[in-house]
Amino acid sequence: MKTMPIDQSQALVILASESRPHFKDREGQQPAIDRATGAHLHLVDVMFAFNGRAEVIAVKVPEPGLGKGLKVGLPVVFTGLVASAWENEINGKDRHGISLRADAVTAKAGA
C-alpha cells in the first residue's frame, strides 16, 4: 500500500471528538491493531481547515500515541500523519478510499 505524508504546517487542526477505539468489524468485537507497534488503534476526529475550506476527518492513532490533556476544541498536531489509498470488494461492489494514520496526536504548543 502506498502512503503519502501530509503537511499540516499551513492548516488549522482542531480536535472535534474524544478518541474512540477502532474495530476491524462492524459489530465492534475485533479491535484493530497497529501493524507497526502491535498497539490498539483509536480513531480521532478533527476539523482540518486549509485554504478557506474545512472538513471533519477521522485519523487512526495507536493508543500510546494519544497525547495527554486532549480536549475537544483544542488545536492539535499529528506526528507522522500519512494518507493511504485502499480498495476492496464488499458484497460484489468495488470500494475505494483514503485512510489517514498518524504515529501520535498532541495538543499544539502554545494553544
Side-chain angles (χ1 to χ4, degrees):
M1 180 183 313
K2 296 182 181 188
T3 61
M4 295 183 296
I6 297 177
D7 177 11
Q8 310 155 71
S9 63
Q10 301 299 309
L12 173 62
V13 184
I14 304 289
L15 189 64
S17 73
E18 298 290 329
S19 71
R20 62 193 183 281
H22 180 51
F23 295 94
K24 287 192 213 181
D25 60 329
R26 291 190 185 272
E27 296 79 26
Q29 300 296 316
Q30 296 181 350
I33 304 297
D34 183 43
R35 292 180 192 156
T37 66
H40 288 162
L41 285 172
H42 283 247
L43 290 174
V44 177
D45 292 331
V46 293
M47 184 213 45
F48 195 94
F50 174 74
N51 210 19
R53 298 188 61 174
E55 290 192 40
V56 174
I57 59 173
V59 180
K60 296 174 193 167
V61 179
E63 191 169 24
L66 298 172
K68 297 195 184 326
L70 294 177
K71 295 182 182 178
V72 173
L74 280 179
V76 295
V77 64
F78 289 100
T79 303
L81 181 61
V82 294
S84 302
W86 61 268
E87 62 181 61
N88 58 26
E89 185 178 319
I90 300 173
N91 297 327
K93 294 184 180 182
D94 290 332
R95 306 268 177 148
H96 61 275
I98 304 282
S99 176
L100 300 172
R101 186 211 177 276
D103 296 328
V105 59
T106 55
K108 190 171 185 176

